[in-house]
């Protein structure tokens, strides 16, 4: 009996060992799990944000001191948020798209829009042209290039002078490529003789005198003889002194007023005195057309206590350094939607204190419907080519 129980127990042990061994063999046969890969491809689709559009506008070329307004489409205007300059030492820009050329170089102006797009302008600033401006005459000049060429040729007869008696205008001509005096270079306003008392015809300058006694005990300055007692000269002076002019006679320039001579402002008669030697041809005629350059304007003396011709270039002249003056142009603040009246309360006078408010020009682009800071420039030039300029800032809140 005990032997049977022992055999049964032995069988159970052998069977269990076999099962355990088979299980272990099965475990070892299971392949190892793959190593973890941290570069797992995402199954979430990628989302890309489109970049904001940039519109490249045409280059803007300016000379130092010039101003230009940037052009935008109607849609761009409606969504504009502002302008910016990459270099304000070269080009400045205000809220209205006004670009001022400050110094030579290149800058980028960017217009930004509410839809995140933008427009870019390349601003190219070059040196300003150098101009010789006569600040002591109301004359009109032209054809400087031809005159310069003729001067270089060494000719001692550069000019011919024509006096339109009816229009009280003197036009000076230089010669063309064929040697004919057809090229107008200077026009000057004058006063010929009252009641057509100035002679007509063709003559030649025959003498010169810086001061010369005239009829009625007065004196002419910078005198060039035309024929006999008919002369080019200044408006009469009571004495041979530059501060003793007949003011009422000066203010008649532009209409017949003399006893027969051709009167001009001091700067213009001096120009003839200095540039037109003896034998320069002078033709006096009548015509409704003042001449190819037109008739210059005049300036009036308003100060009855100052006996100087305002065109006299003497440094002793009280008018020597005077310029026009703009008044009433000041920085201002307006509310969004309000109106801006650029000329409200603004006025100007010329070198001789005459009102020239109607000659004021206003440069600016104030947009009352859009908040920002806007630059506005007031400028005025009188008939002596003298200027005044005032910049203001208009702030729209």
């Amino acid at each position: 009996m005990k032997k049977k129980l022992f055999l049964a127990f032995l069988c159970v042990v052998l069977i269990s060992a076999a099962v355990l061994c088979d299980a272990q063999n099965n475990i070892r046969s299971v392949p190892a799990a793959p190593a973890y890969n941290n570069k797992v491809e995402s199954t979430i689709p990628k989302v890309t944000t489109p970049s904001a559009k940039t519109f490249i506008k045409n280059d803007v070329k300016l000379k130092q001191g010039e101003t230009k307004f940037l052009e935008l489409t109607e849609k761009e205007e409606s969504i504009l948020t502002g302008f910016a300059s990459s270099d304000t030492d070269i080009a400045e820009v205000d809220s209205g798209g006004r670009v001022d050329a400050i110094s030579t170089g290149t800058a980028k102006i960017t217009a930004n829009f509410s839809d995140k797009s933008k427009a870019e302008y390349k601003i190219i600033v070059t040196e300003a042209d150098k101009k010789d401006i006569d600040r002591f005459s109301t004359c009109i000049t032209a054809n400087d290039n031809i005159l310069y060429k003729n001067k270089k040729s060494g000719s001692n007869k550069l000019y011919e002078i024509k006096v339109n008696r009816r229009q009280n205008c003197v036009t000076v001509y230089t010669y063309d490529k064929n040697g004919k005096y057809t090229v107008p270079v200077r026009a000057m306003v004058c006063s010929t003789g009252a009641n057509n008392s100035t002679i007509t015809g063709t003559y030649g300058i025959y003498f010169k005198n810086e001061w010369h006694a005239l009829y009625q005990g007065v004196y002419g300055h910078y005198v060039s003889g035309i024929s006999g007692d008919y002369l080019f000269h200044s408006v009469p002076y009571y004495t041979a002194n530059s501060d003793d002019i007949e003011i009422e006679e000066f203010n008649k320039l532009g209409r017949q007023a003399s006893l027969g001579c051709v009167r001009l402002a001091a700067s213009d008669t001096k120009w003839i005195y200095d540039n037109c030697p003896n034998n320069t041809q002078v033709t006096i005629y009548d015509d409704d057309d003042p001449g190819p350059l037109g008739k210059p304007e005049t300036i009036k003396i308003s100060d009855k206590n100052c006996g100087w011709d305002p065109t006299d270039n003497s440094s002793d002249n009280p008018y020597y350094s005077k310029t026009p003056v703009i008044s009433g142009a000041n920085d201002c603040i307006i509310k969004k939607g309000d109106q801006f009246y650029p000329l409200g309360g603004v006025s100007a006078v010329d070198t001789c204190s005459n009102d020239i408010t109607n000659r004021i020009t206003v440069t600016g682009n104030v947009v009352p419907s859009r908040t920002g800071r806007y630059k506005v420039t007031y400028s005025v030039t009188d008939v002596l080519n003298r200027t005044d300029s005032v910049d203001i800032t208009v702030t729209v809140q």
Side-chain angles (χ1 to χ4, degrees):
M1 183 69 180
K2 291 181 178 180
K3 185 177 181 180
K4 290 181 179 179
L5 290 172
F6 174 76
L7 291 173
F9 176 76
L10 182 60
C11 289
V12 171
V13 173
L14 291 173
I15 293 169
S16 298
V19 171
L20 179 62
C21 182
D22 185 62
Q24 288 177 342
N25 288 336
N26 287 338
I27 291 173
R28 280 194 289 268
S29 67
V30 175
Y36 178 73
N37 183 0
N38 59 6
K39 294 182 180 180
V40 178
E41 293 290 334
S42 172
T43 58
I44 302 174
K46 293 182 179 179
V47 177
T48 57
T49 303
S51 59
K53 290 183 179 179
T54 299
F55 303 96
I56 305 300
K57 301 286 190 174
N58 293 333
D59 293 352
V60 177
K61 297 180 180 180
L62 295 170
K63 294 184 184 295
Q64 281 179 282
E66 288 185 338
T67 296
K68 187 176 180 63
F69 295 94
L70 299 179
E71 295 182 0
L72 297 175
T73 65
E74 186 175 343
K75 179 182 178 182
E76 288 171 338
E77 285 279 5
S78 67
I79 60 174
L80 177 70
T81 59
F83 293 94
S85 171
S86 65
D87 193 335
T88 55
D89 289 334
I90 293 175
E92 294 179 345
V93 64
D94 74 354
S95 299
R98 167 182 167 158
V99 178
D100 287 274
I102 308 301
S103 61
T104 59
T106 302
K108 181 175 71 176
I109 301 293
T110 303
N112 296 299
F113 306 109
S114 58
D115 65 356
K116 307 303 180 184
S117 65
K118 58 185 179 180
E120 292 182 351
Y121 304 79
K122 183 179 180 181
I123 311 298
I124 303 169
V125 182
T126 56
E127 286 188 3
D129 295 331
K130 294 180 180 179
K131 296 181 179 179
D132 293 328
I133 299 176
D134 188 346
R135 300 174 63 254
F136 294 95
S137 175
T138 68
C139 70
I140 300 169
T141 59
N143 299 306
D144 291 341
N145 56 332
I146 298 175
L147 179 57
Y148 177 75
K149 181 179 178 181
N150 289 353
K151 285 181 177 180
K152 288 186 68 175
S153 71
S155 172
N156 60 358
K157 190 184 177 187
L158 281 172
Y159 306 108
E160 285 189 359
I161 304 172
K162 294 185 178 181
V163 181
N164 187 333
R165 187 176 66 168
R166 184 177 299 162
Q167 291 296 322
N168 292 284
C169 182
V170 176
T171 304
V172 181
Y173 296 79
T174 193
Y175 54 86
D176 59 25
K177 61 183 180 180
N178 298 316
K180 304 294 185 182
Y181 290 83
T182 62
V183 182
V185 295
R186 187 179 180 98
M188 300 172 285
V189 67
C190 70
S191 284
T192 57
N195 302 313
N196 291 328
S197 56
T198 300
I199 56 174
T200 58
T202 299
Y203 309 92
I205 290 177
Y206 73 97
F207 91 95
K208 291 179 179 290
N209 204 347
E210 184 173 355
W211 287 98
H212 189 74
L214 307 175
Y215 288 117
Q216 298 180 342
V218 294
Y219 294 84
H221 204 186
Y222 302 116
V223 177
S224 299
I226 301 171
S227 176
D229 291 334
Y230 294 92
L231 318 168
F232 288 119
H233 63 72
S234 68
V235 171
Y237 290 75
Y238 293 110
T239 61
N241 295 285
S242 297
D243 62 352
D244 204 15
I245 199 170
E246 293 189 43
I247 294 174
E248 291 183 1
E249 296 304 308
F250 180 88
N251 288 343
K252 293 178 182 178
L253 280 172
R255 67 179 191 267
Q256 292 187 343
S258 76
L259 296 178
C261 292
V262 180
R263 299 175 178 174
L264 301 101
S267 61
D268 294 330
T269 197
K270 185 177 187 298
W271 187 92
I272 294 174
Y273 181 86
D274 290 340
N275 294 280
C276 301
N278 287 348
N279 298 316
T280 297
Q281 182 173 296
V282 178
T283 300
I284 304 173
Y285 68 102
D286 287 325
D287 199 312
D288 290 333
D289 182 353
L293 300 183
K295 180 180 178 178
E297 297 180 74
T298 61
I299 192 165
K300 307 295 184 184
I301 298 174
S302 60
D303 183 358
K304 305 302 181 182
N305 296 315
C306 182
W308 281 84
D309 181 323
T311 73
D312 191 324
N313 66 357
S314 169
S315 58
D316 294 330
N317 188 346
Y319 295 108
Y320 184 86
S321 58
K322 285 191 175 183
T323 65
V325 177
I326 295 172
S327 303
N330 303 301
D331 293 349
C332 65
I333 299 173
I334 63 173
K335 292 182 179 180
K336 182 179 178 180
D338 286 352
Q339 288 292 320
F340 170 62
Y341 300 98
L343 287 173
V346 180
S347 61
V349 295
D350 66 15
T351 297
C352 294
S353 300
N354 302 292
D355 185 2
I356 53 169
T357 301
N358 62 341
R359 298 176 75 102
I360 295 175
T361 60
V362 182
T363 304
N365 182 34
V366 178
V367 184
S369 62
R370 188 167 67 231
T371 59
R373 291 167 61 84
Y374 301 86
K375 182 178 179 180
V376 177
T377 300
Y378 297 83
S379 57
V380 70
T381 302
D382 68 11
V383 296
L384 291 176
N385 300 306
R386 304 184 190 188
T387 64
D388 186 29
S389 180
V390 177
D391 292 328
I392 70 165
T393 299
V394 179
T395 303
V396 179
Q397 293 185 343

